Amino acid sequence: HFDVEADDRCAADYAVISNKPITKAVFNDMGTDDRALEKSQNTASGSRLCGDILPQPFTSSANQIGVGFFSDYTTSAGGFLLTYEAINRSSCHGGFHFSSHHGIFEDDSGPSVNYGPNVNCSYFITVPANHIMSLKFLSLGIEPSPGCKFDYINIWDVDTGHLLRRICGLSFPDIVVTPGRRVRLQMVTDASLEYTGFVVSY
């Protein structure tokens, strides 16, 4: 259930979901001016949520999550009800899903831990209709090998099923521009030699 006063920018009432605890400073940092509103919307962490459409499921990158709620002094609504569960990081739990205009995410090992062995995890990205997508790696540490035959990231075009790129190593690849609006990043690792993983923006 989700019912929070709606407006185009979620500037009046809104909920916030974040990878870190929600504090007063988080709300202050979000601000109310146009630039702050644009920055705080449609991001992977700390995004404003309002309206009566159920938000996409949110999967944290670590073992904590923050949920905050702000309302002004006018116009009330029904509020929200959410559920949560702990999931096994190595299982990937069916994959991770992102559906905003832009965002940043990392492999599910987190920023300070090497990825695990025998991983097969998918990250699904869908951008709005009439858009295509660019992917830029901000960090990359995937076991190097000729032909990327041990550990690698496959980038798939979901609509056609075509493999767009296979990536491994420690050097940032060129920006990947996709032909469609739906992409799957598939991370596959073998039983040995774990590295730091990846951070990607879209």
Side-chain angles (χ1 to χ4, degrees), residues 42 55 69 80 149 172:
N42 299 317
F69 179 69
F80 62 88
K149 61 183 179 180
F172 296 173

Side-chain angles (χ1 to χ4, degrees), residues 58-130:
F58 180 90
T59 302
S60 68
S61 61
N63 65 341
Q64 63 179 354
I65 196 169
V67 179
F69 179 69
F70 174 86
S71 65
D72 63 10
Y73 53 87
T74 63
T75 310
S76 60
F80 62 88
L81 175 69
L82 61 81
T83 62
Y84 70 93
E85 64 175 325
I87 60 176
N88 186 335
R89 291 171 66 169
S90 63
S91 72
C92 196
H93 199 65
F96 300 90
H97 298 261
F98 305 91
S99 59
S100 57
H101 284 78
H102 53 85
I104 299 174
F105 63 91
E106 61 195 2
D107 66 280
D108 69 325
S109 64
S112 59
V113 180
N114 287 356
Y115 57 75
N118 303 312
V119 169
N120 190 337
C121 188
S122 291
Y123 304 80
F124 298 88
I125 312 170
T126 302
V127 296
N130 302 316

Side-chain angles (χ1 to χ4, degrees), residues 150-166:
F150 298 128
D151 299 353
Y152 52 85
I153 299 170
N154 281 337
I155 302 177
W156 300 91
D157 181 86
V158 171
D159 294 320
T160 64
H162 291 160
L163 178 63
L164 303 177
R165 188 81 63 88
R166 175 170 286 191

Side-chain angles (χ1 to χ4, degrees), residues 17-39:
I17 301 178
S18 175
N19 278 313
K20 57 187 179 181
I22 301 293
T23 64
K24 184 176 180 180
V26 171
F27 283 109
N28 290 341
D29 287 345
M30 297 183 83
T32 57
D33 58 84
D34 289 344
R35 184 177 179 185
L37 287 167
E38 181 180 357
K39 180 180 179 182

